[in-house]
Amino acid sequence: MSNNISIRHLRAFTEIAKSGSFTRAAENLHLTQSTLTATIKQLEEQVELKLFDRTTRRVILTGEGGNFFPVAEKLISDFDTAFNDLKATTSQQKGKIGIAASPSMIGRMLPEIIKSYHQTYANIGIYLRDDNASGIEQRVLENDVDFGLGGNHSNQPELNYQPVLMDQYGIVLPSDHPLSQTAQLNWAQVSSLPIIHLTTDTGTRSQLYKLERENNLGLNTQSPLIEVSTPAGLADMVKTGLGVSILPALAASTSAFSTLIFVPLQSPELERKIYIITRKGRALSPAAETMMIMLQDYFKTTQLPHHVTKAFS
């Protein structure tokens, strides 16, 4: 015989056991007495055991019924807890959101969005993973985070890339550099300068190398004198006067670069795109979906840093 026992059988069983009466149990469960009697009959047929002894005054558990009672109560409790957890997740009363993002996104764009989200959904945990472009893609692929915010580093076929922002490339200089007061520079003017680059695993470096090949910019992007793995470390190197750096405007607008000068580059004017990165075929939780919508709305309505524009498709 197939096992057709459901949670309603367990609720009926435990209510009768606690009340000692089919009549009172039926009232408490808002069932007719005939329906409750049929439910218990089904349960006893399934287990092939008698669970209750009926007397003229009271219904009492058999020995087997007494042994099963605490098990049934725990099963109901576990079911109710799991179901309530699902409902709480749906209503965003509990849960967590994971976001992988570039340092510039975490440092410049996310704090206000997270603050706004947290004011409305205070019980949702949020964890951020600061990573380079390839690391962001990998974290999304491995389901370590719900979504990422960064460049399209390797155009992974299993990922969706939704463009949200675009920022212009420029040169980052110490404030006392001879070119620091120039409104705009062209690539030919900076090609002969000592350039400090981010490492090749970053989206900024890989895109810059791609742009250099496509536009013949004359930059030494393959074998630079100094490479740094983080924007903050790169800013420290530029501050020493060792060289200058080429960065997108958003990266250069973070606090690490506050004492440095950003001059946009033209001839040609080049930009990078920043994407919301999600995994194809994976549904976001209600909390993550709400966060992503808030991000999109924020990018549409907020005052963006200089030389950063919207890139919605």
Side-chain angles (χ1 to χ4, degrees):
M1 184 180 293
S2 61
N3 187 353
N4 294 317
I5 296 175
S6 68
I7 196 70
R8 69 182 178 87
H9 292 95
L10 300 181
R11 292 194 196 281
F13 168 75
T14 56
E15 190 59 41
I16 296 168
K18 287 185 285 187
S19 65
S21 164
F22 272 75
T23 302
R24 285 194 295 274
E27 291 174 353
N28 293 340
L29 293 170
H30 307 289
L31 299 172
T32 64
Q33 190 165 336
S34 60
T35 298
L36 182 61
T37 300
T39 300
I40 292 302
K41 182 180 179 183
Q42 289 172 357
L43 177 60
E44 289 181 327
E45 287 177 350
Q46 285 290 315
V47 299
E48 299 181 349
L49 286 171
K50 188 177 181 182
L51 300 174
F52 293 104
D53 285 324
R54 285 81 162 173
T55 70
T56 55
R57 294 185 177 182
R58 187 169 175 82
V59 178
I60 60 175
L61 289 166
T62 64
E64 292 80 6
N67 291 335
F68 182 57
F69 178 71
V71 177
E73 280 202 311
K74 185 175 187 309
L75 289 170
I76 293 170
S77 175
D78 289 347
F79 176 86
D80 288 343
T81 298
F83 187 73
N84 288 334
D85 283 349
L86 284 174
K87 289 175 66 178
T89 299
T90 301
S91 61
Q92 298 182 60
Q93 295 173 4
K94 67 180 298 184
K96 62 181 181 178
I97 304 168
I99 305 171
S102 63
S104 60
M105 288 300 297
I106 290 177
R108 192 67 173 81
M109 305 299 291
L110 288 182
E112 284 300 318
I113 300 167
I114 290 171
K115 179 183 177 182
S116 178
Y117 183 92
H118 189 66
Q119 287 172 342
T120 306
Y121 305 105
N123 295 323
I124 300 293
I126 300 171
Y127 63 96
L128 302 176
R129 297 291 182 261
D130 178 331
D131 216 327
N132 56 42
S134 61
I136 292 170
E137 289 178 332
Q138 197 60 35
R139 287 181 184 277
V140 177
L141 283 170
E142 294 175 355
N143 296 326
D144 180 46
V145 294
D146 293 286
F147 61 88
L149 282 164
N152 183 343
H153 182 68
S154 53
N155 201 31
Q156 292 282 347
E158 296 178 48
L159 297 178
N160 286 313
Y161 298 86
Q162 179 193 351
V164 286
L165 296 177
M166 208 156 43
D167 56 348
Q168 184 179 348
Y169 273 91
I171 186 167
V172 178
L173 309 152
S175 58
D176 59 354
H177 194 279
L179 297 175
S180 64
Q181 301 305 310
T182 310
Q184 286 188 328
L185 292 167
N186 61 54
W187 294 86
Q189 287 175 280
V190 303
S191 61
S192 61
L193 297 176
I195 298 175
I196 303 170
H197 282 295
L198 289 169
T199 50
T200 54
D201 58 350
T202 62
T204 298
R205 175 69 179 285
S206 63
Q207 188 181 40
L208 190 57
Y209 179 47
K210 180 173 180 289
L211 293 172
E212 196 277 334
R213 286 180 297 162
E214 292 174 348
N215 296 276
N216 193 27
L217 301 175
L219 301 176
N220 183 14
T221 56
Q222 288 186 285
S223 303
L225 181 63
I226 299 173
E227 289 182 324
V228 188
S229 61
T230 66
L234 184 143
D236 289 336
M237 292 294 103
V238 174
K239 288 172 188 176
T240 66
L242 278 170
V244 301
S245 190
I246 296 172
L247 288 176
L250 186 61
S253 70
T254 58
S255 59
F257 295 88
S258 60
T259 62
L260 299 172
I261 304 298
F262 176 84
V263 181
L265 286 164
Q266 60 179 359
S267 301
E269 182 178 302
L270 299 176
E271 297 173 314
R272 72 159 177 177
K273 281 186 178 178
I274 297 171
Y275 301 83
I276 292 177
I277 304 169
T278 55
R279 182 165 181 171
K280 292 179 180 177
R282 183 193 179 196
L284 293 177
S285 68
E289 183 74 31
T290 299
M291 172 65 84
M292 195 164 72
I293 292 170
M294 287 182 68
L295 279 166
Q296 292 166 337
D297 290 343
Y298 181 82
F299 294 147
K300 287 177 182 177
T301 59
T302 192
Q303 180 69 39
L304 296 171
H306 291 304
H307 310 293
V308 180
T309 56
K310 303 170 182 64
F312 290 90
S313 56

